[in-house]
């Protein structure tokens, strides 16, 4: 059996015997659902100028669209762009340049146990990815982490998230991304319960059951042959 997290990867690894399956990533619902309560954010983050447009993850030169983040910082001058994660793969200069803007705050690497307290400070959760061959094959764990926290999610460069619309808004190009952020801010907390419910139905236990069920079917087929 072959398991892949996206359709593109499944197609690439298809062996022609019908035993390649798409099993998308999910997030740790129990861990991130606590981020639905803004009060768990540290006082210094609760004091950030709002709205807070946040990203949590590796700030990777080949994945994150830093020009788009700069555009957001300049368009939403009264907002805080909150970045939580390490600069990797040569991205330090880009991240430091962003962090020099007056409304951008870079927290650096955050311990996983306390990451929900950072996400709790977000008003809108961002996945501002480049559109390239790599991101076309990506299904990020963070999307269900954000949803578990009830946050509206705006993403780019990730066609594999199309099945999650309207809970996740996909935007192509900086103008569309800015418009999607404006729309999410205007909607406020509307839809939060639906997002949380979706994440609650998409857990690692569910994925494990799916994987083990397929393995059981395969073993039954082999034993019966």
């Amino acid at each position: 059996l072959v398991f892949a997290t996206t359709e593109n990867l499944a197609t690439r690894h298809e062996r022609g015997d019908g035993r390649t399956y798409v099993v998308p990533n999910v997030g740790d619902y129990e861990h991130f659902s606590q981020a639905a309560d803004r009060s768990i954010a540290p006082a210094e983050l609760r004091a950030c100028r709002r709205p807070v447009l946040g990203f949590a993850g590796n700030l990777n030169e080949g994945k994150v669209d830093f020009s788009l983040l700069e555009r957001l910082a300049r368009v939403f001058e009264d907002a805080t762009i909150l970045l939580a994660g390490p600069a990797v793969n040569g991205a330090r200069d880009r991240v430091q340049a962003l962090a020099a803007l007056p409304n951008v705050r870079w927290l650096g690497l955050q311990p996983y146990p306390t990451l929900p307290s950072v996400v709790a400070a977000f008003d809108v959760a961002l996945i501002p990815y480049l559109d390239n061959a790599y991101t076309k094959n990506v299904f990020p764990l963070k999307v269900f982490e954000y949803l578990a926290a009830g946050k509206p999610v705006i993403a780019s460069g990730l066609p594999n998230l199309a099945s999650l619309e309207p809970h996740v808004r996909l935007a192509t190009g900086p103008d569309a991304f800015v418009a999607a952020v404006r729309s999410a801010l205007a909607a406020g907390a509307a839809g939060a319960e639906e997002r949380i419910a979706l994440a609650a139905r998409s857990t690692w236990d569910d994925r494990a059951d799916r994987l083990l069920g397929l393995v059981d079917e395969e073993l039954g087929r082999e034993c019966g042959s």
Side-chain angles (χ1 to χ4, degrees), residues 34-198:
Q34 60 186 310
D37 179 1
R38 187 183 297 275
S39 70
I40 74 166
E44 60 179 309
L45 297 186
R46 295 199 307 273
C48 284
R49 188 166 52 183
R50 293 179 60 187
V52 174
L53 313 180
F55 172 83
N58 289 331
L59 292 155
N60 186 322
E61 179 71 20
K63 185 166 63 174
V64 173
D65 190 338
F66 293 104
S67 296
L68 178 54
L69 284 171
E70 181 180 353
R71 171 76 178 276
L72 291 177
R74 297 191 185 282
V75 170
F76 296 97
E77 293 180 324
D78 294 330
T80 298
I81 311 300
L82 185 61
L83 308 176
V88 298
N89 293 346
R92 178 164 290 277
D93 288 347
R94 297 295 304 272
V95 176
Q96 289 179 332
L98 267 176
L101 296 175
N103 62 334
V104 177
R105 183 164 182 185
W106 177 34
L107 303 179
L109 177 65
Q110 297 295 298
Y112 185 76
T114 60
L115 191 55
S117 68
V118 175
V119 175
F122 296 177
D123 291 293
V124 175
L126 309 174
I127 313 182
Y129 280 6
L130 297 164
D131 183 1
N132 58 32
Y134 174 74
T135 58
K136 282 181 171 62
N137 294 290
V138 168
F139 194 109
L141 278 68
K142 66 172 53 61
V143 66
F144 276 107
E145 295 171 350
Y146 290 160
L147 291 172
K151 308 299 180 180
V153 182
I154 314 299
S156 62
L158 293 166
N160 292 294
L161 300 187
S163 63
L164 296 178
E165 291 190 287
H167 306 291
V168 175
R169 304 184 192 196
L170 298 183
T172 301
D175 290 342
F177 202 97
V178 167
V181 170
R182 290 193 193 280
S183 179
L185 291 173
E193 291 184 2
E194 290 83 356
R195 292 188 285 269
I196 292 171
L198 173 62

Side-chain angles (χ1 to χ4, degrees), residues 186-210:
E193 291 184 2
E194 290 83 356
R195 292 188 285 269
I196 292 171
L198 173 62
R201 299 192 301 269
S202 308
T203 67
W204 287 117
D205 285 343
D206 295 327
R207 292 298 186 263
D209 287 344
R210 167 74 169 150

